[in-house]
Amino acid sequence: MTVDERLFEVLEALREEGWPEVEVFHKRGRSRTMRTTAYGETTSLRQEEGWAVRAGDSRRSFFYAASGPPRPDAGWPEADGQGLRLPSARPVPSWTAPSSLDAPLIGEVEARGFLEGLARALDQEVPGSRLLAAHLDDGSSESQLLSSRDVAATVRQRVASLHLDAVGPGEGQRGVSLDVAQREVRRFSPTALASRLADLLLVSGKGIARVRDRGEFLLAPTVAAGLLAALSDLWVGPEAESRLAALVDRGGRFGSPALTLIDDGRLPGGVLAAPHDGEGQPTREVVLVEEGTFRQPLVAWWQTRSPKLASACSRRPGWRDLPRPGPTHLYLRPDPSLRVASLLENLGRGYYLIGLAGAPRIEPGYGRFAAPVDGFAIAGGRPTGPVTGTWLVGSVSALFKGIVAVARDLTFSTVGAGLVGSPTLLVKGLELRQQP
Amino acid sequence: MPFAELDSAGIARSLAQIADHPADLADAFFERTEEIELPDGEGSPGLRVWRETGLAIRLLREGRTWLAGRDRISADVYHDAWRRVARAMPRTQYPQPSLKHESWGEPPRAPELLELPSNVRRALRSHCVTAPLELTVRRHRRWTRVIGTRLASGTERENFYSVRAELPTARYGCLLSELGTDTADELARRLVKLHRAHDAPPPSAWCGVSILGASATAVLLHEAVAHALEADTLAFGGHPDAAIGVRMGSELLDVFDDPTSAPDTVRRAADDEGFPVVRRCLLRSGVVQQPLCDTAWASRGEMLTAGAGRRGNRHLPPVPRSSHLELVAGELSWQDLLAEADGGLYLPEAERGSLDPLTGEFTLRFPFGRRIENQAPGPPVGPCTLKGRVSDLLDKVTGVGRKVRSAGAGWCAKDGVKLPVWATCPALRLEGVEIVP
């Protein structure tokens, strides 16, 4: 029996029990994980499979999820709590699955070779440094969704992620970490990754803290995306408009004209690009902020009465998860004509911040933010010394209104079940402090 | 017991075929879990159930581990996982072992969950707190069995509850070994304390006497003793063997990890590698006795003992972790702990802690506290943080309470592996630690 037939069987079984709203979801995937430390290596081969049902009527509902293939004879729990409403099927624009979805998973020898090459490249960049731990995960998955409202969706995905922990040669030096994601392992460049780690190690080992300073700030994609991610709730849900109202000026602007913020579940080349979201709704590009002006929030179909506003942003990372609205590929639109190097050359006095040393803190009500940052002091377009143990602070409003220029190097970071991306940003109106 | 009828001899025989080097270790891990959640009042859909069954085959050889996890249990699935882990296929294979196990019988039910939210609301009203409450309660059940080439454990069973409760002014989460008649009152009491301390100003930076309640002591021990003595953490600074005999803290500290004396519903006889658990002395009079080790780490040091291997789930390899921490009671009564502590802080609960394994820097975050006045807890103070290096911090213990209680149970999420941890502790007196707002 095929998975589709099994899903249909479960759907029919629940309909016969009298449930008007039924949705059956199935996901299976394979992944190879290699984790290396100074003391050993672990290679895991996972084959995961599970399914989930949401069923209910206007007064009560239940959720049942189980490992293995779908079964119509699973004992269902007693329905309770809130009623359930599911979305209807909507036409899906044409979609061509990326060819890389079919590429085989990385082999054990190849994975080991990749990580060893990375360790060698790091040692060349910073002699005496060590890769404390590396965690490489390469996986593919296929999910199917069938509902009593004629939704029938299939999504295939392929994601490779890499987490690196490294430490420099200095005594008692703080370790640094790096997380990256691509569709395939072969798209990771060991030399580029080693170079990024080397920059972070240099700053953490030799950087000094700045007590207090102002100037222009060049925020590398990791820093800018980290701030966007920490603020991502700002744009999610029907309350987004009232949240943002406090940040909008008299001219109706939320940010500078250089700020255009987009969420796109089918972003061409996006690692998580898919034709449907986690509830089978067709994904699309949604412009949240256009040239500094707020356009619309990120809302799931059930959070708005207007189909035009529905953003198809229900994320469902696995069969254990309920769909929840949130960013898919949330990104700040890059300027294809602007190189990072030209922004740096024109930076008279300021800082080039290349990494976050921890999670940014956001004040309740989105008043102020503080982010622990690492980077370089810049004068006349040249670095004058590394900076660490320092916080970038300011108001959330100043962050968005102070964006002067946006470079072309759009880079995504993994955030929960979604991706948040940003190019390098030139920002004014913020401050460096030793304490948040 | 779902795994009582597994063909342990047949499984051990098949594993012996892939463990063909003298020091190899191979095992099969069988897991079944059930979680039933009643979401908060606004949650849709209503009752939520997760049921999982699966297995993993592991081969450990010369510092390398191969692991194949599957989300089903059947002879075919077992054989496929076994084949993936084998480094060389044997010329002849034994017949596939029987993997007969109980199927899920009854539909999932947890009637004890249904009354809790309304009971907590009622208890809050009795404290004159009428703010809207969001409460999510979940029952966790897990059965595991490990069969290896050397050991075959019995089926281990865990059964506990997790609760997350939130008022507009207070947030509280905990693990409970059972839902009793007084659970709702106890949850309400803790929420009310947080609610009443909500507007209290944080204390100014303080470096004097601080008294940690049993719950806060449990979190402190978990972060500063248990995590610090996990073999994989110790390895950041050298060989874990080297830690044995090192003075780590005050001589008042006798700390054990003892899964056999955990609350009944989570008590263990074997760890997640099938190795019998022991009452492991972590610190005796402040001196390191035995780090927390799984089999892989124990094989690397003559003085290291396995028995503390825990798996987040079948897809993850075992890691050395604590299960149930115990701080041996001291001699001080509550009055003795508070003696000459006026102006100091009483910190009953900690909401989270963290340890940097490279630098040994440690932080513990408290949601609220109370200023000690007239040798008793006085007016509330707001959120604050204890900071320091582990070795300095544990040296500043100057008193241990004589009344121990189950306290500070919670989730440990080191390296993304989420595990329930339990503790039995008295209160603790510290002098000269830095508390900052």
Side-chain angles (χ1 to χ4, degrees):
Chain A
M1 190 181 272
T2 65
V3 170
D4 286 336
E5 288 166 345
R6 283 177 181 272
L7 290 177
F8 185 74
E9 205 180 32
V10 175
L11 187 74
E12 285 302 299
L14 282 157
R15 273 176 161 171
E16 281 172 19
E17 287 189 22
W19 297 108
E21 302 275 4
V22 184
E23 175 200 79
V24 196
F25 177 78
H26 172 262
K27 186 167 184 176
R28 65 180 161 195
R30 298 167 58 235
S31 67
R32 183 186 295 278
T33 302
M34 179 167 280
R35 185 178 169 82
T36 61
T37 65
Y39 283 88
E41 173 192 288
T42 301
T43 305
S44 303
L45 286 147
R46 298 180 183 192
Q47 280 188 18
E48 295 180 78
E49 181 179 16
W51 59 291
V53 159
R54 285 195 292 167
D57 56 25
S58 58
R59 293 180 298 111
R60 60 213 174 113
S61 58
F62 70 83
F63 173 79
Y64 179 92
S67 57
R71 289 177 48 192
D73 59 345
W76 311 117
E78 271 186 53
D80 196 0
Q82 300 277 303
L84 180 70
R85 197 161 60 95
L86 294 169
S88 300
R90 290 178 55 204
V92 180
S94 68
W95 166 261
T96 308
S99 58
S100 53
L101 290 179
D102 294 317
L105 297 183
I106 190 168
E108 183 182 328
V109 174
E110 196 185 350
R112 189 176 298 127
F114 169 78
L115 295 176
E116 285 170 356
L118 184 55
R120 274 196 304 275
L122 180 63
D123 190 50
Q124 280 173 1
E125 290 274 354
V126 185
S129 61
R130 284 183 297 148
L131 202 55
L132 287 177
H135 191 154
L136 176 68
D137 194 298
D138 187 19
S140 65
S141 68
E142 181 172 331
S143 56
Q144 282 110 333
L145 185 74
L146 198 63
S147 88
S148 55
R149 290 190 172 261
D150 299 327
V151 171
T154 298
V155 172
R156 294 176 64 205
Q157 285 189 324
R158 178 72 204 270
V159 181
S161 62
L162 178 63
H163 172 85
L164 301 167
D165 291 319
V167 68
E171 186 74 23
Q173 189 176 333
R174 177 168 60 85
V176 299
S177 298
L178 192 61
D179 286 282
V180 286
Q182 284 287 358
R183 188 165 281 146
E184 293 173 81
V185 174
R186 66 180 172 82
R187 298 193 189 184
F188 293 131
S189 159
T191 48
L193 291 168
S195 171
R196 283 178 66 181
L197 281 173
D199 287 344
L200 293 170
L201 286 172
L202 172 69
V203 170
S204 92
K206 296 187 175 169
I208 52 166
R210 294 285 158 139
V211 176
R212 194 165 189 167
D213 201 5
R214 286 176 170 272
E216 293 181 314
F217 295 95
L218 204 53
L219 309 184
T222 318
V223 178
L227 286 167
L228 271 184
L231 291 162
S232 61
D233 284 350
L234 197 52
W235 295 280
V236 181
E239 311 83 20
E241 208 151 350
S242 58
R243 272 187 227 124
L244 288 163
L247 306 175
V248 172
D249 64 17
R250 286 180 187 170
R253 278 194 186 279
F254 162 74
S256 86
L259 173 68
T260 294
L261 193 65
I262 295 166
D263 187 79
D264 189 353
R266 58 165 56 206
L267 180 73
V271 172
L272 302 176
H276 310 271
D277 73 352
E279 292 187 287
Q281 298 300 288
T283 49
R284 65 184 179 91
E285 179 187 277
V286 181
V287 178
L288 307 175
V289 178
E290 188 173 16
E291 296 178 356
T293 303
F294 175 68
R295 294 288 177 221
Q296 75 151 90
L298 203 54
V299 280
W301 66 273
W302 52 271
Q303 292 177 312
T304 175
R305 289 184 179 174
S306 162
K308 280 186 183 172
L309 281 183
S311 319
C313 60
S314 287
R315 300 182 308 192
R316 197 168 198 167
W319 54 268
R320 296 176 186 87
D321 304 296
L322 283 154
R324 288 187 198 286
T328 52
H329 298 95
L330 176 72
Y331 68 98
L332 214 148
R333 191 163 68 193
D335 177 351
S337 65
L338 200 51
R339 294 180 306 122
V340 179
S342 65
L343 286 176
L344 190 57
E345 283 160 12
N346 293 316
L347 194 65
R349 189 186 163 282
Y351 295 88
Y352 182 22
L353 303 176
I354 62 166
L356 287 171
R361 297 183 192 171
I362 310 293
E363 200 177 78
Y366 301 95
R368 294 183 69 76
F369 76 94
V373 288
D374 290 328
F376 297 91
I378 305 287
R382 293 182 174 278
T384 56
V387 174
T388 191
T390 301
W391 294 74
L392 178 69
V393 297
S395 70
V396 172
S397 176
L399 171 68
F400 291 117
K401 292 195 178 89
I403 298 173
V404 179
V406 173
R408 65 185 184 188
D409 58 334
L410 174 63
T411 309
F412 282 89
S413 302
T414 315
V415 177
L419 289 167
V420 176
S422 173
T424 299
L425 307 181
L426 179 62
V427 187
K428 285 181 179 173
L430 303 178
E431 196 177 12
L432 281 188
R433 286 189 189 175
Q434 206 166 3
Q435 295 292 334
Chain B
M1 290 295 179
F3 303 129
E5 292 181 60
L6 289 173
D7 173 12
S8 50
I11 291 167
R13 243 192 339 262
S14 74
L15 292 169
Q17 288 195 300
I18 56 173
D20 54 353
H21 286 206
D24 280 359
L25 181 144
D27 59 24
F29 176 75
F30 298 90
E31 180 183 47
R32 166 180 287 191
T33 62
E34 182 190 74
E35 294 183 11
I36 302 183
E37 179 183 281
L38 184 66
D40 65 73
E42 299 299 313
S44 169
L47 205 65
R48 301 169 184 180
V49 176
W50 293 262
R51 280 181 160 180
E52 300 191 30
T53 307
L55 61 82
I57 310 285
R58 175 178 70 143
L59 172 64
L60 183 62
R61 174 180 295 172
E62 294 165 3
R64 283 187 178 164
T65 299
W66 291 270
L67 181 75
R70 299 290 184 270
D71 283 347
R72 295 191 220 181
I73 296 179
S74 71
D76 290 348
V77 162
Y78 175 89
H79 185 69
D80 182 58
W82 177 90
R83 201 169 52 81
R84 300 274 175 186
V85 163
R87 297 298 87 197
M89 296 306 290
R91 286 186 185 169
T92 54
Q93 290 177 19
Y94 292 124
Q96 288 183 5
S98 159
L99 296 179
K100 191 176 170 192
H101 62 284
E102 281 177 23
S103 57
W104 292 105
E106 295 292 304
R109 291 185 71 244
E112 71 273 30
L113 304 185
L114 305 179
E115 297 296 318
L116 187 69
S118 53
N119 287 345
V120 176
R121 284 190 185 94
R122 200 174 300 125
L124 281 171
R125 272 199 301 276
S126 72
H127 289 279
C128 302
V129 175
T130 54
L133 169 74
E134 285 186 9
L135 188 141
T136 299
V137 55
R138 191 183 278 211
R139 187 182 76 188
H140 305 254
R141 294 202 293 172
R142 186 187 192 215
W143 298 262
T144 57
R145 189 170 181 204
V146 184
I147 298 171
T149 46
R150 300 173 199 172
L151 292 166
S153 70
T155 302
E156 293 289 326
R157 182 181 173 179
E158 289 175 22
N159 188 358
F160 63 95
Y161 299 85
S162 61
V163 179
R164 272 196 333 267
E166 196 169 340
L167 294 170
T169 50
R171 186 184 295 168
Y172 180 70
C174 64
L175 299 186
L176 301 162
S177 56
E178 55 188 7
L179 289 188
T181 48
D182 57 348
T183 302
D185 290 338
E186 179 63 17
L187 286 169
R189 199 176 60 79
R190 289 181 182 259
L191 279 166
V192 167
K193 277 188 181 173
L194 287 161
H195 169 73
R196 293 195 173 143
H198 177 253
D199 293 326
S204 48
W206 168 252
C207 189
V209 176
S210 296
I211 310 294
L212 303 192
S215 288
T217 301
V219 183
L220 172 92
L221 293 179
H222 178 77
E223 298 293 340
V225 177
H227 278 319
L229 291 183
E230 287 158 358
D232 53 349
T233 305
L234 289 169
F236 280 109
H239 198 283
D241 254 353
I244 297 173
V246 171
R247 174 166 295 281
M248 194 176 167
S250 158
E251 60 183 21
L252 298 170
L253 290 173
D254 289 315
V255 183
F256 291 83
D257 177 48
D258 188 1
T260 63
S261 66
D264 286 350
T265 59
V266 291
R267 192 166 288 169
R268 303 285 300 259
D271 69 354
D272 288 339
E273 297 184 291
F275 206 92
V277 293
V278 291
R279 182 173 167 81
R280 183 182 300 258
C281 183
L282 302 176
L283 293 183
R284 189 182 300 281
S285 303
V287 176
V288 177
Q289 300 294 304
Q290 186 55 245
L292 290 156
C293 279
D294 58 3
T295 316
W297 282 102
S299 68
R300 295 185 185 117
E302 288 181 4
M303 297 167 75
L304 302 176
T305 310
R310 299 188 70 186
R311 307 190 199 218
N313 62 54
R314 60 198 167 277
H315 295 294
L316 298 171
V319 284
R321 294 287 183 274
S322 65
S323 297
H324 173 240
L325 286 178
E326 282 181 28
L327 172 61
V328 175
E331 294 173 347
L332 300 187
S333 66
W334 180 237
Q335 287 74 22
D336 295 335
L337 284 166
L338 293 170
E340 295 176 25
D342 281 2
L345 291 169
Y346 169 56
L347 302 160
E349 286 171 22
E351 58 187 8
R352 61 177 184 271
S354 67
L355 170 71
D356 184 329
L358 286 176
T359 60
E361 282 170 11
F362 168 82
T363 59
L364 198 60
R365 182 78 178 160
F366 306 96
F368 72 99
R370 292 173 73 178
R371 183 70 68 190
I372 299 169
E373 289 179 357
N374 301 321
Q375 300 187 26
V381 295
C384 52
T385 303
L386 183 156
K387 282 186 170 178
R389 291 170 70 90
V390 167
S391 48
D392 301 336
L393 184 76
L394 295 178
D395 238 2
K396 289 173 178 162
V397 173
T398 57
V400 179
R402 65 182 176 211
K403 188 177 175 188
V404 293
R405 64 179 183 90
S406 283
W411 292 109
C412 165
K414 184 182 164 188
D415 293 338
V417 181
K418 190 177 169 187
L419 293 165
V421 288
W422 308 87
T424 306
C425 292
L428 205 60
R429 178 181 166 117
L430 301 160
E431 288 185 37
V433 293
E434 188 189 0
I435 307 278
V436 294

